């Protein structure tokens, strides 16, 4: 007796649903739109707070430019030329109106367009952050896996000792120690300066080793300690690990394919939250190593009361933090398809 095979009927989507509606109904797209809408009041709040804090600092750009020997008449004339004689609210609203259209204004000190200054300095800060972040994460993951594979073993104890030591030293103190050892005493690496990538790969990377190490070493210690602790908890307390072991799966497979996959969610969260602090840490490091980045520009602008440049730098830092948190949320959905933000 033969059994008739029924033809497979292709499942078609509802023709009444347009492709545009399918795209706009995507949970990921709704998440992006929601986060971008939330970023608007955040960015406004950051700019208002920055402008208010700068207004509390004694002096202004005119006084800083003319120096202590300037007469009140000279200061008043320069303030009028720079627009500093207007009220704080008027100056902020004028800056905000131009910033919305993409015009970040001109520096009060140099007169250069702020967008041009950012275009010159952003690649330096971006390279510094990338090197510190990439190297610290690239080293932290294997070290944490080795430490969690055998808790209280040799690798675990050494990694915990290094992590504790690295977390107890501020990055600017570590920067000075690195300069003293590797630049002054050993003469192996340059202490200051920056060479563009166009002049050669090693010529560009050599002066970036010490500053990226000063930022990346504390990050490496923190990521290693955090990931190691979470992996050990997963391996010792979770039932799915016991089930995997009962099935005869080897310890390394359980650690990497099961425990590390779940621990990566916490690591991604920490990385996203630390990215804003990582950007902020460049302010002091760039000043120590004389790197012409956004951090050095921000510190110099604060000293000269150049509020236009300060506002632009703060907006860039806040925007990076917002985008980092958005990417973290999207990576959750990529790593675990069960997560659907805004799904109905």
């Amino acid at each position: 007796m033969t059994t008739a095979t029924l033809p497979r009927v292709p499942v078609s989507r509802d023709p009444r649903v347009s492709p545009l509606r399918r795209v706009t109904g995507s949970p990921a797209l709704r998440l992006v739109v929601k986060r971008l809408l939330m970023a608007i009041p955040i960015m406004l709040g950051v700019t208002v707070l920055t402008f208010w804090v700068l207004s509390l600092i004694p002096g202004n750009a005119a006084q800083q430019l003319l120096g202590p020997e300037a007469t009140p008449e000279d200061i008043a004339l320069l303030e009028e030329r720079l627009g500093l004689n207007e009220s704080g609210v008027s100056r902020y609203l004028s800056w905000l109106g131009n910033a919305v259209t993409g015009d970040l204004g001109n520096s009060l000190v140099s007169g250069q367009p702020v967008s041009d200054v950012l275009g010159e300095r952003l690649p330096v800060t971006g390279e510094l952050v990338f090197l510190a972040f990439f190297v610290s994460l690239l080293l932290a993951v294997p070290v944490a896996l080795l430490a969690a594979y055998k808790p209280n073993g040799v690798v675990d104890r050494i990694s915990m000792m290094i992590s504790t030591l690295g977390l107890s030293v501020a990055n600017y103190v570590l920067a000075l120690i690195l300069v003293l050892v590797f630049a002054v005493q050993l003469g192996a690496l340059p202490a200051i300066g920056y060479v563009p990538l166009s002049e050669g790969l090693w010529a560009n990377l050599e002066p970036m080793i010490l500053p990226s190490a000063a930022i990346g070493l504390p990050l490496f210690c923190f990521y290693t300690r955090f990931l190691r602790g979470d992996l050990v908890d997963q391996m010792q307390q979770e039932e799915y690990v016991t089930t995997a072991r009962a099935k005869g799966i080897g310890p390394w497979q359980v650690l990497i394919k099961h425990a590390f996959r779940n621990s990566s969610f916490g690591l991604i969260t920490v990385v996203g939250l630390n990215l804003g602090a990582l950007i902020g840490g460049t302010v002091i490091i760039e000043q120590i190593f004389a790197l012409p980045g956004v951090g050095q520009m921000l510190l110099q602008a604060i000293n000269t009361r150049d509020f236009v440049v300060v506002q632009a730098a703060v907006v860039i830092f806040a925007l990076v933090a917002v985008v980092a948190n958005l990417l973290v949320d999207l990576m959750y959905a990529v790593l675990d398809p069960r997560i659907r933000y805004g799904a109905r």
Side-chain angles (χ1 to χ4, degrees):
M1 180 177 179
T2 60
T3 303
T5 303
L6 296 177
R8 298 184 62 181
V9 179
V11 179
S12 59
R13 296 181 177 178
D14 190 349
R16 294 173 295 179
V17 181
S18 64
L20 179 61
R21 187 175 178 182
R22 294 193 191 105
V23 173
T24 56
S26 169
L29 182 60
R30 286 201 298 268
L31 172 65
V32 172
V33 173
K34 182 179 178 180
R35 290 290 188 269
L36 291 179
L37 292 176
M38 291 174 58
I40 295 176
I42 293 174
M43 300 297 291
L44 286 174
V46 167
T47 56
V48 171
L49 182 61
T50 304
F51 193 88
W52 177 69
V53 171
L54 287 175
S55 65
L56 298 179
I57 302 177
N60 57 30
Q63 296 173 355
Q64 295 295 320
L65 287 173
L66 295 177
E69 303 298 330
T71 63
E73 293 78 11
D74 294 336
I75 294 177
L77 288 175
L78 186 56
E79 285 178 345
E80 183 178 0
R81 185 167 65 87
L82 297 177
L84 299 177
N85 59 333
E86 301 177 4
S87 65
V89 176
S90 176
R91 284 187 287 129
Y92 173 76
L93 292 178
S94 176
W95 175 86
L96 182 62
N98 294 328
V100 170
T101 61
D103 181 12
L104 297 177
N106 296 331
S107 170
L108 299 179
V109 176
S110 65
Q112 290 181 279
V114 176
S115 57
D116 293 346
V117 178
L118 288 175
E120 297 172 357
R121 293 179 175 263
L122 272 176
V124 181
T125 301
E127 181 182 356
L128 176 61
V129 171
F130 173 78
L131 290 175
F133 171 75
F134 179 76
V135 174
S136 62
L137 200 58
L138 186 66
L139 296 177
V141 171
V143 171
L145 288 172
L146 290 172
Y149 178 75
K150 190 175 182 181
N152 298 321
V154 176
V155 177
D156 187 23
R157 292 180 182 276
I158 294 176
S159 67
M160 290 295 290
M161 181 181 63
I162 295 176
S163 298
T164 303
L165 181 63
L167 292 174
S168 62
V169 181
N171 57 6
Y172 58 88
V173 176
L174 179 61
L176 296 176
I177 295 174
L178 292 175
V179 170
L180 179 63
V181 174
F182 292 98
V184 177
Q185 295 184 351
L186 299 180
L189 294 169
I192 59 174
Y194 174 77
V195 179
L197 184 60
S198 58
E199 298 186 17
L201 180 60
W202 175 245
N204 169 258
L205 291 178
E206 188 179 18
M208 299 294 288
I209 293 177
L210 292 183
S212 59
I215 298 178
L217 184 59
L219 285 178
F220 159 76
C221 297
F222 180 73
Y223 293 155
T224 301
R225 189 166 184 175
F226 174 84
L227 184 58
R228 176 263 176 199
D230 196 60
L231 286 171
V232 172
D233 290 340
Q234 297 279 339
M235 295 292 289
Q236 294 179 351
Q237 300 178 9
E238 296 297 332
E239 294 182 356
Y240 71 88
V241 173
T242 305
T243 303
R245 287 171 174 169
K247 292 181 178 180
I249 301 178
W252 274 113
Q253 288 183 312
V254 174
L255 179 63
I256 296 176
K257 292 185 178 181
H258 298 278
F260 177 67
R261 182 180 180 86
N262 289 329
S263 296
S264 61
F265 285 92
L267 181 62
I268 290 173
T269 303
V270 170
V271 168
L273 294 175
N274 276 353
L275 192 55
L278 175 61
I279 297 292
T282 62
V283 176
I284 303 299
I285 298 301
E286 288 181 355
Q287 187 70 16
I288 293 175
F289 291 96
L291 295 177
V294 178
Q296 185 192 64
M297 178 193 73
L298 174 60
L299 195 59
Q300 293 173 351
I302 293 175
N303 291 332
T304 58
R305 310 297 189 269
D306 194 345
F307 81 92
V308 179
V309 175
V310 173
Q311 289 280 56
V314 171
V315 166
I316 294 297
F317 288 169
L319 187 61
V320 169
V322 170
V323 172
N325 284 277
L326 174 60
L327 292 177
V328 167
D329 291 336
L330 292 177
M331 289 185 68
Y332 283 160
V334 172
L335 291 175
D336 191 347
R338 295 173 297 177
I339 299 177
R340 288 293 182 265
Y341 295 97
R344 298 176 182 175

